[in-house]
């Protein structure tokens, strides 16, 4: 198996604090309205309490990334050495094909600068021996980086409830599902 | 990919957009480009850059976590920030607010110059110079002095907008002008402070990092998953080691969602719950006999009170929590060793908040968890705050006339010894600002100076506040954004962000100290509070020699250096503040537990179940049950903190709007159904104080008779929870902070479809 770096999203630990999403904006200065990483609150069918469990999502750095396939200028490249799908927005011609093709909506539409943008897993940080900005920035240690073949990655699931199942892409992100507390509820306040 | 095709496209697009813009800039052609494009060019990044210059910073917001920050700077501009890894508390991470700082510093909405508004609230702002602004202000001060014979007509409204130690220079500036009127006390946490002082003789919590040692954790009326995100990793570690996490709260908070057991208690009935638990512990003889006999005073009397007045059945009826559950958690808590309780600030913002904290403290004492690593009744501490307060301590000019009335009161952060003087400042309860401005006389409050505070967003009864401001002759606000307080001011002075000044910061929760270095030049014409004070002093003295004693030092580094002393150095194990340039330092603690020697700061030197001091201040000597405020409306209205803001700070930043679009009121679906309200409807929430109109979000995270909205100031929106919060006092606070707190969460009202 080829080496594949992947995000491990532990929703059991995630506190929905948005630090990861803002850490990304802090690092790359995304235009207002553009967020390469964001939180997806779990719907009622997947978690019983509204806005209390989340998936922190950006690019899933798929095994067979559709963005790489559709990009006419080779702006999306899957790195051989670690499977990171790197996007070079300076090559982007704003044809919007990646934006429209990705089932996970990882490429974002920057209407101001007229280009597609997405998470490249902070590959320059990784090359410099650092963690991605979002991973380092997670105060709850809920977002981590794993090598897919490592034992810790096996603790995660690939398609948890509430996450799209697109097997042809084979997304690398792994998840630990959120738990709900035992409830003891006063029936009313007064 | 077809190599030929790729080649052709690259030829066509040989110049990237960025390069084109750079070319245009060089050719001076940018003036003709729409402004949006120019800003985007200056701001855009797609690459991480290494090798940048770094500076040490510290988040000065009113927050448990007080993060140690590393700031990366290129060509004099902040590229990005991150948490300092040297601090095991911050541990490399910031919160959503901290990570928004670069955007905040370079926000197009920042106030850039001193400005004057032709008529308050008109929006007709004109740019003026610093010299003009200070000229107008100093004229007013001198006129007041002439008219009143003192400066008591000049009032300072300052609180927690920036906790950098040198920011107490604002108080210093006021003292340097004469005896003035000060709003004192705190809207935040005073009832709990008094409670812990009555019980233990101080507010002094364990090192939060020792929570990993706890076998049982109760988070009571607090929401660290939003308000102390860095503490969560210690709670998780304790859970991983086998600890049980119980969250007690009227709201199923994000912290509650992480608990093993979430208990929804009736709001304001925490005291009854704690006493019910205490009753079970005493009944079953699960209490720590050594602690209650050797280290505590009044156990016998407390036991007698429980015997006579408390039953678990009664507690169940009062709290809505079943007898079985009360007994179960009491049992588990008493048997776990060590077990800890984190007392949140939310649960004491009630007319019986202090009494409730005392009851919870009593649980920790009963079980011998006080003075124990991994134990404790954690609330906060100020033991790392022993600075010189050099900027704050300024002498009044000779011949100053002041207030001759009764007792002076002071801030909980003020650690200076009080001097005996015949004159003093006139002090007024910070939680009654509107009322006080309207009623204070001889002299009336004529000039209000607002710094590190946003009274229109944070103070109670907004409609009364409007009337109060209308009475003021001049309002000067020092701020960074055009918020509602600025809208109601005559003059606004732009202040620097934390990245534009030097100071030092500590926390009221953890035990780290962080240096805050000036990482970039002052933006636009912004000045720090200290620079403003020095300039005002120069202006005053130019007009009337000797009218202001504030040193004319504008370098914030000089001020920062003067705050350190040997005590601080010793406590943190450093020889000089310069060592903090290598990273934050943690205090050298003999134990991670507070009160580890069981020598308490009370008059008896023991833990006081029975406190004569409490009685002196008009409370019960014992931690007895105190009834909650009677409802004055159909729904309870809760207005706690959001994760996206620190009070009124941050929600207005466009980056934050990406994740937090606007205000919502949360309502239980059952209640909504009975009112014909659907998710997403626009509704009006109102009570005797005022009304707000906003969208509704239906959630079972609250009880059917509760409405929830988060306090915040959003840019361009008139949403303000203070429309619905009256200024009713909490029970305690007068002993240690000079004034009682506010019963923020004892508010009621109704909701209709708008």
């Amino acid at each position: 198996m080829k080496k594949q770096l992947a995000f491990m999203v532990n929703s059991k630990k995630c506190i929905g604090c948005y630090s990861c999403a803002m850490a990304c904006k802090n690092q790359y200065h995304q235009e207002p309205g553009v967020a390469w990483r964001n939180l997806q609150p779990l719907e009622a069918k997947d978690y019983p309490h509204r806005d209390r469990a989340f998936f922190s999502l950006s690019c899933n750095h798929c095994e067979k990334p559709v963005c790489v396939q559709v990009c006419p200028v080779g702006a999306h490249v899957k790195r051989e050495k670690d499977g990171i799908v790197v996007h070079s927005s300076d090559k982007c011609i704003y044809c919007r094909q990646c934006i429209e093709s990705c089932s996970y909506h990882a490429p974002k539409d920057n209407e101001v600068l007229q280009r597609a943008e997405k998470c490249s897993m902070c590959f320059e940080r990784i090359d410099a021996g650092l963690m991605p900005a979002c991973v380092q920035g997670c105060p709850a240690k809920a977002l981590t980086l794993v090598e897919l073949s490592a034992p810790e990655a096996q603790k995660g699931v690939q398609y948890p409830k509430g996450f799209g199942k697109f097997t042809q892409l084979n997304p690398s992100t792994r998840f630990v599902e959120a738990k709900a507390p035992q409830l003891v509820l006063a029936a009313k306040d007064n | 990919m077809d190599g030929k095709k790729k080649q052709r496209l690259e030829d066509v697009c040989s110049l990237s957009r960025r390069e084109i813009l750079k070319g245009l800039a060089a050719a001076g052609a940018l003036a003709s480009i729409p402004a949006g494009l120019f800003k985007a060019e200056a701001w855009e990044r797609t690459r991480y850059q290494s090798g940048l210059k770094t500076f040490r910073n510290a988040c000065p917001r009113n927050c448990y976590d007080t993060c140690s920050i590393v700031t990366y700077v290129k060509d004099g501009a902040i590229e990005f920030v991150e948490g300092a890894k040297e601090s095991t508390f911050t541990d490399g991470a910031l919160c959503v607010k901290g990570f928004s700082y670069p955007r905040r510093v370079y926000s197009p909405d920042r106030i850039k110059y001193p400005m004057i508004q032709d008529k308050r609230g008109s929006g007709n702002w004109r740019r003026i110079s610093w010299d003009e602004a200070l000229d107008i202000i100093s004229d007013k001060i001198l006129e007041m002095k002439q008219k009143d014979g003192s400066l008591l007509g000049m009032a300072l409204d300052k609180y927690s907008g920036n906790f950098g130690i040198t920011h107490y220079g604002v108080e210093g500036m006021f003292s340097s002008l004469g005896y003035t009127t000060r709003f004192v006390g705190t809207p935040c946490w005073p009832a709990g402070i008094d409670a812990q002082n009555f019980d233990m003789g101080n507010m002094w919590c364990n090192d939060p990092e020792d929570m990993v040692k706890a076998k049982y954790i109760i988070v009571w009326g607090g929401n660290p998953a939003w308000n102390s995100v860095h503490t969560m990793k210690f709670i998780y570690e304790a859970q991983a080691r086998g600890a049980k996490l119980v969250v007690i709260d009227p709201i199923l908070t994000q912290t509650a969602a992480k608990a093993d057991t979430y208990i929804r208690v009736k709001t304001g009935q925490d005291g009854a719950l704690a006493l019910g638990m205490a009753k079970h512990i005493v009944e079953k003889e699960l209490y720590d006999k050594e602690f209650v006999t050797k280290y505590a005073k009044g156990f016998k009397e407390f036991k007698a009170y429980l015997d006579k007045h408390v039953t678990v059945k009664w507690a169940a009826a009062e709290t809505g929590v079943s007898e079985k559950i009360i007994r179960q958690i009491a049992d588990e808590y008493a048997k776990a060793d060590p077990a800890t309780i984190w007392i949140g600030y939310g649960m004491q913002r009630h007319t019986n908040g202090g009494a409730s904290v005392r009851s919870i403290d009593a649980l920790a004492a009963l079980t011998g968890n006080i003075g124990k690593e991994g134990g404790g009744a954690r609330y906060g501490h100020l033991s790392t705050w022993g600075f010189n307060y050099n900027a704050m301590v300024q002498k009044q000019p000779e011949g100053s006339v002041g207030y001759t009335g009764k007792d002076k009161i002071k801030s909980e952060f003020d650690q200076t010894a009080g001097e005996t003087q015949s004159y003093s400042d006139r002090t007024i309860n910070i939680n009654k600002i509107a009322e006080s401005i309207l009623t204070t006389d001889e002299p009336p409050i004529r000039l209000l100076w607002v710094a590190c505070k946003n009274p229109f967003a944070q103070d109670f009864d907004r409609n009364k506040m409007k009337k109060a401001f209308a009475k003021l002759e001049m309002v000067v606000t020092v701020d960074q954004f055009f918020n509602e307080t600025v809208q109601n001011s005559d003059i606004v002075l732009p202040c620097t962000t934390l990245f534009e000044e030097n100071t030092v910061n500590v926390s009221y929760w953890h035990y780290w100290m962080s240096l805050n270095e000036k990482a970039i030049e002052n933006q636009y014409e912004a000045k720090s509070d200290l620079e403003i004070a020095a300039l005002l002093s120069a202006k005053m003295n130019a007009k009337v020699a000797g009218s202001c004693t504030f040193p004319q030092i504008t370098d914030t580094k000089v001020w920062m250096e003067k705050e350190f002393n040997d005590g601080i150095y010793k406590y943190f194990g450093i020889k000089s503040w310069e060592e903090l340039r290598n990273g934050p330092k943690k205090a050298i603690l003999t134990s991670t537990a507070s009160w580890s020697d069981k020598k308490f700061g009370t008059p008896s030197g023991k833990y006081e179940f029975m406190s004569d001091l409490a009685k002196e201040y008009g409370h019960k000597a014992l931690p007895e049950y105190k009834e909650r405020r009677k409802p004055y409306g159909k729904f309870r209205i809760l207005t706690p903190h959001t994760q996206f803001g620190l009070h009124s700070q941050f929600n207005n930043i466009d980056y934050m709007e990406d994740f937090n679009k606007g205000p919502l009121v949360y309502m239980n679906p059952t209640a909504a159904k009975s009112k014909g309200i659907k998710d997403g409807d626009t509704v009006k929430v109102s009570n005797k104080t005022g009304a707000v109109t906003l969208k509704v979000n239906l959630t079972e995270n609250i009880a059917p008779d509760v409405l929830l909205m988060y306090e915040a100031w959003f840019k361009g929106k008139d949403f303000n929870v203070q429309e619905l919060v009256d200024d009713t006092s909490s029970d305690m606070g007068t002993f240690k902070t000079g004034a009682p707190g506010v019963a923020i969460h004892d508010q009621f009202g109704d909701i209709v479809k708008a």
Side-chain angles (χ1 to χ4, degrees):
Chain A
M1 193 181 163
K2 272 190 189 169
K3 187 179 172 191
Q4 174 69 56
L5 287 179
F7 290 115
M8 178 86 137
V9 178
N10 186 334
S11 292
K12 199 177 148 189
K13 285 188 172 177
C14 176
I15 48 177
C17 73
Y18 289 84
S19 294
C20 52
M22 194 65 91
C24 182
K25 289 187 73 105
N26 157 66
Q27 186 79 75
Y28 298 109
H29 297 194
Q30 290 141 37
E31 276 300 305
V34 177
W36 298 355
R37 179 173 285 282
N38 210 331
L39 295 190
Q40 177 192 309
L42 266 61
E43 290 176 28
K45 63 181 169 54
D46 302 317
Y47 189 82
H49 310 298
R50 190 173 187 181
D51 295 327
R52 291 292 180 264
F54 303 84
F55 291 147
S56 170
L57 299 174
S58 61
C59 174
N60 296 307
H61 301 276
C62 302
E63 188 200 359
K64 292 181 181 136
V66 68
C67 53
V68 174
Q69 288 164 36
V70 300
C71 181
V73 293
H76 292 281
V77 174
K78 187 165 176 73
R79 296 217 300 191
E80 274 295 313
K81 66 170 179 179
D82 50 18
I84 299 176
V85 180
V86 174
H87 181 244
S88 305
S89 44
D90 50 353
K91 288 185 185 164
C92 177
I93 57 167
Y94 201 44
C95 71
R96 308 182 87 258
Q97 290 204 55
C98 59
I99 298 170
E100 281 153 23
S101 309
C102 175
S103 309
Y104 292 112
H105 308 293
K108 304 296 177 192
D109 189 348
N110 184 337
E111 291 174 20
V112 177
L113 291 172
Q114 302 210 325
R115 67 189 188 196
E117 293 176 0
K118 78 163 191 73
C119 156
S120 295
M121 210 183 252
C122 290
F123 72 96
E124 289 126 326
R125 287 182 61 102
I126 288 177
D127 290 345
L130 302 168
M131 280 291 145
C134 54
V135 171
Q136 185 185 318
C138 175
K141 316 279 173 207
L143 185 63
T144 51
L145 196 65
V146 292
E147 211 286 292
L148 262 195
S149 60
E152 56 188 311
Q154 313 315 312
K155 291 177 202 157
V157 295
Q158 190 174 12
Y159 301 111
K161 281 185 290 177
F163 182 68
K165 191 169 182 178
F166 301 105
T167 51
Q168 72 281 12
L169 298 175
N170 195 10
S172 68
T173 309
R174 294 295 182 267
F175 299 85
V176 175
E177 293 186 80
K179 267 193 176 173
Q182 177 208 351
L183 299 180
V184 175
L185 303 178
K188 56 193 188 73
D189 197 73
N190 192 22
Chain B
M1 171 60 55
D2 181 339
K4 218 172 172 182
K5 188 179 165 196
K6 186 180 171 193
Q7 186 58 49
R8 196 170 51 79
L9 277 163
E10 274 183 355
D11 283 344
V12 174
C13 306
S14 58
L15 272 181
S16 76
R17 176 172 209 90
R18 209 176 339 178
E19 282 164 328
I20 292 168
L21 283 165
K22 269 183 194 156
L24 286 172
L30 262 183
S32 60
I33 303 264
L37 274 183
F38 178 62
K39 270 184 226 145
E41 199 276 335
W43 185 248
E44 67 163 315
R45 297 288 179 279
T46 55
R47 290 281 187 261
Y48 162 76
Q49 280 185 299
S50 56
L52 303 179
K53 202 168 177 196
T54 59
F55 292 87
R56 294 286 171 183
N57 286 101
C59 185
R61 307 279 82 94
N62 182 353
C63 172
Y64 286 100
D65 290 12
T66 309
C67 285
S68 307
I69 297 174
V70 181
T71 304
Y72 290 77
V73 173
K74 186 189 169 194
D75 300 334
I78 298 171
E79 284 289 310
F80 63 95
V81 292
E82 64 182 27
K85 291 176 185 162
E86 294 85 356
S87 161
T88 48
F89 189 86
T90 305
D91 200 21
L94 299 175
C95 73
V96 66
K97 304 172 281 290
F99 280 129
S100 77
Y101 270 132
R103 189 65 183 174
R104 184 181 156 108
V105 171
Y106 300 114
S107 168
D109 298 334
R110 254 186 93 171
I111 299 172
K112 300 173 178 67
Y113 323 103
M115 297 188 93
I116 189 164
Q117 189 171 215
D118 286 335
K119 182 177 173 290
R120 257 180 246 160
S122 69
N124 293 329
W125 288 96
R126 284 183 291 117
R127 179 179 173 181
I128 53 172
S129 66
W130 273 99
D131 193 61
E132 285 173 274
L134 295 169
D135 212 37
I136 297 167
I137 297 164
S138 55
D139 274 352
K140 182 71 190 171
I141 296 170
L142 291 168
E143 175 207 304
M144 282 164 41
K145 206 169 180 178
Q146 187 80 34
K147 196 185 277 178
D148 298 331
S150 79
L151 282 181
L152 293 173
M154 182 169 161
L156 174 62
D157 188 16
K158 172 181 178 274
Y159 189 55
S160 66
N162 189 319
F163 268 153
I165 297 299
T166 51
H167 282 264
Y168 290 97
V170 183
E171 283 87 342
M173 176 182 82
F174 259 60
S175 295
S176 73
L177 289 161
Y179 296 103
T180 57
T181 295
R182 306 291 180 88
F183 294 108
V184 298
T186 150
C188 181
W189 56 344
I193 293 180
D194 272 15
Q196 293 224 312
N197 273 279
F198 292 138
D199 293 337
M200 290 171 262
N202 203 347
M203 166 184 70
W204 182 21
C205 62
N206 282 24
D207 177 358
E209 297 176 50
D210 91 344
M211 231 182 276
V212 298
K213 296 176 194 167
K215 299 271 171 31
Y216 200 84
I217 300 172
I218 300 177
V219 177
W220 203 320
N223 185 13
W226 279 12
N227 304 316
S228 180
V229 295
H230 295 81
T231 308
M232 291 307 288
K233 61 180 174 284
F234 303 113
I235 294 178
Y236 288 160
E237 177 58 24
Q239 280 178 300
R241 295 183 193 180
K244 182 171 178 177
L245 173 65
V246 176
V247 172
I248 301 171
D249 205 296
I251 306 165
L252 197 166
T253 61
Q254 185 63 64
T255 311
K258 300 301 166 192
D260 296 287
T261 301
Y262 162 61
I263 296 172
R264 183 164 80 197
V265 65
K266 289 185 179 188
T267 313
Q269 294 294 57
D270 310 276
L273 183 57
L275 291 170
M277 288 169 70
K279 172 79 178 190
H280 175 84
I281 289 166
V282 170
E283 233 174 47
K284 301 286 171 196
E285 297 206 9
L286 294 169
Y287 58 93
D288 185 324
K289 287 166 194 85
E290 190 192 353
F291 189 94
V292 301
T293 48
K294 225 165 137 186
Y295 304 114
K297 177 191 156 204
F299 171 69
K300 216 174 77 190
E301 290 82 354
F302 181 48
K303 187 176 177 297
Y305 168 75
L306 291 174
D307 288 344
K308 199 167 168 200
H309 299 283
V310 175
T311 64
V312 180
K313 196 177 166 191
W314 164 84
E318 291 295 331
T319 60
V321 181
S322 74
E323 220 179 308
K324 185 181 153 226
I325 293 289
I326 295 174
R327 287 191 187 280
Q328 184 197 320
I329 53 166
D331 219 72
E332 289 170 357
Y333 170 72
K335 285 174 182 167
D337 185 20
T340 192
I341 303 176
W342 182 348
I343 304 168
Y345 303 137
M347 66 135 294
Q348 49 93 54
R349 292 175 182 145
H350 294 283
T351 54
N352 61 354
S356 294
V357 172
R358 289 201 67 204
S359 302
I360 297 174
D361 284 348
L363 274 180
L366 270 183
T367 52
N369 273 304
I370 292 174
K372 207 178 258 181
E373 298 193 355
R378 299 161 196 257
Y379 187 70
H381 78 93
L382 294 171
S383 58
T384 51
W385 291 67
F387 295 93
N388 290 339
Y389 297 89
N390 166 76
M392 183 175 82
V393 184
Q394 303 294 335
K395 266 207 158 62
Q396 286 74 15
E398 245 172 70
S400 292
V401 175
Y403 188 61
T404 49
K406 57 177 169 49
D407 39 77
K408 283 176 290 178
I409 41 185
K410 59 181 201 171
S411 151
E412 72 275 29
F413 294 100
D414 180 353
Q415 303 200 345
T416 55
E419 284 171 45
T420 351
Q421 287 163 317
S422 49
Y423 285 128
S424 72
D425 291 324
R426 178 169 65 180
T427 52
I428 291 171
N429 180 351
I430 199 166
N431 299 318
K432 302 266 188 194
I433 287 180
E435 182 66 28
S436 305
I437 292 171
L438 288 168
T439 56
T440 300
D441 216 350
E442 295 178 18
I445 296 168
R446 304 179 190 277
L447 166 63
L448 183 70
W449 184 288
V450 182
C452 305
K453 198 162 183 283
N454 181 359
F456 261 90
Q458 299 312 130
D459 285 351
F460 315 101
D461 198 339
R462 176 170 172 275
N463 290 307
K464 204 193 273 179
M465 190 67 76
K466 273 184 172 170
K467 284 181 205 142
F469 266 57
K471 198 188 162 203
L472 296 166
E473 293 166 21
M474 185 184 281
V475 182
V476 178
T477 298
V478 183
D479 213 316
Q480 289 164 354
F481 295 98
F482 282 98
N483 58 42
E484 208 181 344
T485 299
V486 175
Q487 284 166 27
N488 284 286
S489 305
D490 300 295
I491 291 175
V492 64
L493 303 174
C495 65
T496 47
T497 64
L498 64 139
F499 304 99
E500 297 153 57
E501 64 161 7
N502 295 281
T503 192
V504 55
N505 295 72
V506 287
S507 158
Y508 48 73
W509 179 240
H510 62 66
Y511 284 80
W512 291 84
M513 171 168 63
S514 308
L515 190 65
N516 185 77
E517 295 178 294
K518 188 175 168 74
I520 55 169
E521 289 305 310
N522 288 20
Q523 297 296 294
Y524 311 104
E525 287 189 11
K527 294 188 189 300
S528 76
D529 282 323
L530 285 166
E531 289 172 284
I532 294 169
L535 288 175
L536 180 62
S537 180
K539 181 58 93 179
M540 290 293 297
N541 282 298
K543 286 185 177 170
V544 177
S547 61
C548 181
T549 66
F550 202 86
Q552 288 170 33
I553 301 166
T554 52
D555 185 349
T556 53
K557 191 169 158 228
V558 175
W559 285 104
M560 179 271 290
E561 287 175 22
K562 287 175 191 280
E563 290 298 350
F564 290 90
N565 55 47
D566 289 343
I568 283 274
Y569 285 154
K570 204 178 157 201
Y571 193 33
F572 285 91
I574 56 174
K575 290 199 170 66
S576 151
W577 64 266
E578 301 202 22
E579 289 181 45
L580 295 168
R581 285 191 165 138
N582 302 325
K585 286 277 178 194
K586 188 177 180 177
I588 296 166
L589 305 170
T590 49
S591 166
T592 61
S594 52
W595 309 115
S596 60
D597 60 3
K598 312 272 202 305
K599 286 178 187 150
F600 292 92
T602 52
S604 67
K606 293 180 172 184
Y607 180 93
E608 297 196 353
F609 287 107
M610 192 168 70
S611 163
D612 296 333
L613 254 176
K615 204 170 180 185
E616 255 177 56
Y617 277 85
H619 314 295
K620 301 279 186 196
L622 292 168
E624 293 182 25
Y625 173 69
K626 185 175 165 64
E627 252 181 69
R628 59 179 173 166
R629 187 181 189 185
K630 291 235 165 4
Y632 62 81
K634 203 173 163 198
F635 291 86
R636 180 179 289 274
I637 297 173
L638 297 173
T639 56
H641 297 338
T642 161
Q643 82 221 85
F644 296 109
L646 206 306
H647 298 307
S648 64
Q649 296 164 318
F650 293 106
N651 287 286
N652 62 307
I653 308 294
D654 55 8
Y655 265 30
M656 204 62 86
E657 288 172 339
D658 282 350
F659 307 114
N660 185 32
K661 308 267 183 256
L664 292 168
V665 56
Y666 297 85
M667 183 181 197
N668 186 291
T670 314
K673 203 175 168 190
S674 70
K675 291 242 168 195
I677 292 170
K678 290 191 194 66
D679 195 49
D681 278 354
T682 300
V683 293
K684 188 177 171 187
V685 182
S686 57
N687 67 9
K688 63 187 174 70
T689 309
V692 294
T693 302
L694 72 175
K695 285 205 159 61
V696 69
N697 175 299
L698 301 187
T699 178
E700 284 171 354
N701 293 336
I702 44 171
D705 50 353
V706 172
L707 298 173
L708 165 68
M709 58 194 92
Y710 297 106
E711 48 139 14
W713 166 61
F714 292 92
K715 181 189 165 190
K717 293 191 172 75
D718 61 3
F719 170 73
N720 187 333
V721 297
Q722 310 308 344
E723 288 279 4
L724 301 166
V725 181
D726 71 12
D727 59 2
T728 295
S729 294
S730 64
D731 54 346
M732 295 183 191
T734 309
F735 173 35
K736 294 308 282 192
T737 73
V742 182
I744 297 170
H745 299 313
D746 285 336
Q747 306 300 331
F748 302 88
D750 206 349
I751 182 168
V752 290
K753 213 167 147 175

